[in-house]
Amino acid sequence: INAEYGNPPHHSGVVCFMEATNLTNCAGSTEQLQARVGTHPLCAGVFDLDTYMGFYSGHSQTTRLRHIADSYPPLTDDALRMLATTLEANGNMKDFVDLTESGHKGRLDAMGLGKIGWVSEKRRTSNVSIGKLEHALREAAEDHAACRAAYIDLGDEYYSIGELAQAKKDYYQHALEHGCSADVDEVQYRSWCLKMVKASINNVGSSFSMNEHLNKAKAGAGAQIGSMLEASKGLSHLLQAGRGLRGGISDSHDGALRAAGDCFRKATVDMDYNFNEVTVPQDIAAYGGLCVLATMERDQIKKQLIQSRSFKKMLSLVPLVESIVHDFFNSSYSSMLDSMRTLKPVLELDLYFSPVVNRVFSSITSRAMVQYVSPYAKVKLPTMASTFLMKEADLTANLAELILANKVHARIDARHSSLVANSQTIRTDAFDLSLIHI
């Protein structure tokens, strides 16, 4: 559904999408962090770069900064300034060199941030560390426990300097050749899974498919680790959908979005902020709520979002998404679309959700339209257009798509500006209703 959503005003550093929201719903396990860094943009609807980045650490922080620098010109200078400084502070020489060789080189030089002198020293010290670890690996010989530890340390070193592909290779080599499994050492196996997730997801554009391992690692895990693993599975499906959609609105990847929503909704506030090198609870709450709303039926939405005791706490972290879910279920479509209009610019700055946001919002809107017209034999299009905050011509086009897709069983009466349900549909619905009340 091609509904139009407002564009954010251009400011430096701060992008205001709405007035400050009442934050009482953002309490609970997040109070301590929010007191330290303010409120996540998905909660408040105000995007402040410094506050947003305060929620993340390591590669998650720098990959998000690079995404914003590349995709949102009003914040490019601020993002580049923070990115270059953070990469140097973290010793991430690969991503720093990539940045200085990108199309941002001119801006970096103008800001005095393109100097790479520190990279040579970092490379020297890193090579020394890698040499020692490779020697330890040779010394370990057939001692599988020692080899596992050496490969993990080697992967950690490559991870720290931004060589994520090599880090992932060492982590995986350690698993394949030296018996890393839940049967051998459950704690080490879970730690290995999370390291693989970090190396895979933060390596933007790389493939990530290890749900079999994540399922094994979850068996017997506590609530915190279990939520991290479910969030990782959800991100795997979300990335799969994003690579296919690339900002489009095709329904061909709805299966992956549905699988993502099913994983995200199983995460709880127990994950807290110990996984902020990948994601934080506000992200998972927003991703889960929206993906479920876009791909599941009304009874499933009620069960998995509204009545779920665990995920209700997650949703309370993102009042905008929470209101979208309840407005959809309560048929308050104007309010729902207004909240979506506020939220969309924030999601367009999100590294993982931006490729799927058009499809997700399109699906939510089309499902709302189907829900709106289903009880009636005739619907006045001007009234419906007003409810859905769009022009009548756009509404008519969208309804035509739904009719062709066999999602709305009706015809458009252009002469009388109305949507008229098929007579067979009316009789069938009346018969079904009578059976319910027998």
Side-chain angles (χ1 to χ4, degrees):
I1 301 296
N2 298 316
E4 294 183 357
Y5 299 90
N7 295 319
H10 294 176
H11 296 286
S12 176
V14 180
V15 183
C16 299
F17 299 130
M18 63 176 288
E19 295 180 1
T21 303
N22 187 323
L23 303 182
T24 55
N25 283 340
C26 298
S29 68
T30 65
E31 287 178 345
Q32 193 171 27
L33 184 73
Q34 286 175 338
R36 179 168 63 86
V37 296
T39 306
H40 196 286
L42 290 171
C43 177
V46 177
F47 191 93
D48 177 79
L49 191 62
D50 291 321
T51 301
Y52 180 57
M53 289 305 150
F55 279 85
Y56 305 95
S57 66
H59 290 290
S60 181
Q61 189 179 65
T62 53
T63 52
R64 289 168 191 274
L65 281 168
R66 181 62 188 268
H67 171 72
I68 291 170
D70 289 345
S71 63
Y72 191 61
L75 289 178
T76 294
D77 285 351
D78 292 327
L80 286 176
R81 191 175 293 108
M82 191 180 296
L83 176 58
T85 303
T86 305
L87 289 172
E88 183 174 355
N90 292 350
N92 186 342
M93 60 184 188
K94 181 182 183 300
D95 288 343
F96 187 86
V97 171
D98 288 347
L99 181 65
T100 59
E101 294 176 353
S102 71
H104 298 300
K105 177 175 172 53
R107 284 177 179 262
L108 290 168
D109 290 341
M111 292 187 287
L113 298 171
K115 299 174 183 178
I116 61 173
W118 67 271
V119 173
S120 299
E121 177 60 22
K122 178 62 182 179
R123 183 176 284 112
R124 185 189 68 78
T125 58
S126 180
N127 286 341
V128 170
S129 298
I130 290 170
K132 291 179 179 179
L133 291 169
E134 289 177 341
H135 177 73
L137 191 57
R138 290 191 295 269
E139 289 288 312
E142 296 302 314
D143 185 342
H144 291 300
C147 284
R148 288 199 299 270
Y151 268 122
I152 285 179
D153 290 342
L154 197 57
D156 288 347
E157 178 62 29
Y158 279 114
Y159 183 83
S160 71
I161 61 174
E163 296 284 354
L164 302 190
Q166 183 60 47
K168 183 178 176 181
K169 180 180 177 181
D170 284 322
Y171 291 147
Y172 208 67
Q173 189 113 8
H174 132 77
L176 287 177
E177 294 184 358
H178 299 285
C180 178
S181 71
D183 296 331
V184 174
D185 187 333
E186 285 186 358
V187 175
Q188 186 185 61
Y189 183 67
R190 292 187 191 113
S191 174
W192 170 78
C193 282
L194 293 176
K195 286 177 183 289
M196 280 288 292
V197 168
K198 292 176 184 179
S200 301
I201 290 181
N202 287 319
N203 189 13
V204 179
S206 69
S207 61
F208 171 53
S209 178
M210 54 178 294
N211 285 349
E212 181 180 349
H213 287 293
L214 295 175
N215 285 331
K216 290 180 181 178
K218 191 184 176 186
Q224 185 177 80
I225 299 297
S227 290
M228 292 179 185
L229 294 168
E230 284 294 349
S232 300
K233 288 165 57 181
L235 286 171
S236 171
H237 293 300
L238 190 67
L239 290 171
Q240 178 187 343
R243 281 193 293 270
L245 285 167
R246 297 182 182 181
I249 60 171
S250 166
D251 63 1
S252 57
H253 298 278
D254 282 3
L257 289 174
R258 182 186 177 92
D262 194 48
C263 293
F264 290 138
R265 70 165 183 87
K266 295 175 184 175
T268 69
V269 292
D270 296 294
M271 72 178 285
D272 207 3
Y273 292 91
N274 295 303
F275 204 37
N276 70 346
E277 206 169 335
V278 175
T279 189
V280 296
Q282 284 89 343
D283 296 325
I284 301 307
Y287 299 166
L290 294 171
C291 285
V292 168
L293 204 58
T295 60
M296 298 190 187
E297 299 305 319
R298 183 179 172 85
D299 59 335
Q300 294 172 309
I301 292 169
K302 181 179 181 180
K303 181 180 179 180
Q304 297 184 5
L305 296 184
I306 296 174
Q307 294 181 336
S308 169
R309 294 180 62 185
S310 59
F311 200 74
K312 276 172 67 176
K313 292 181 180 179
M314 289 287 277
L315 271 182
S316 72
L317 302 177
V318 281
L320 283 175
V321 179
E322 186 179 37
S323 68
I324 290 169
V325 170
H326 285 278
D327 285 342
F328 177 91
F329 197 79
N330 295 326
S331 303
S332 300
Y333 303 116
S334 295
S335 176
M336 180 195 79
L337 290 166
D338 192 51
S339 295
M340 288 168 63
R341 183 173 292 175
T342 297
L343 185 64
K344 189 178 183 186
V346 179
L347 290 171
E348 287 176 332
L349 297 179
D350 185 277
L351 176 63
Y352 303 121
F353 207 79
S354 54
V356 306
V357 66
N358 288 333
R359 173 55 196 161
V360 168
F361 276 36
S362 167
S363 180
I364 292 172
T365 306
S366 65
R367 284 169 175 267
M369 287 183 175
V370 173
Q371 188 171 273
Y372 180 94
V373 303
S374 60
Y376 303 111
K378 181 181 287 188
V379 174
K380 288 293 184 181
L381 295 183
T383 303
M384 185 176 177
S386 176
T387 298
F388 281 84
L389 309 179
M390 62 177 66
K391 297 176 181 177
E392 186 176 335
D394 294 332
L395 174 68
T396 301
N398 292 330
L399 289 172
E401 290 180 16
L402 293 172
I403 292 169
L404 289 173
N406 206 33
K407 294 178 180 179
V408 170
H409 304 286
R411 60 182 176 83
I412 296 172
D413 183 349
R415 183 177 180 182
H416 297 98
S417 294
S418 60
L419 182 76
V420 182
N422 295 337
S423 57
Q424 179 62 40
T425 302
I426 297 172
R427 287 196 297 270
T428 301
D429 290 347
F431 179 72
D432 291 342
L433 188 62
S434 68
L435 289 177
I436 293 174
H437 292 288
I438 289 177

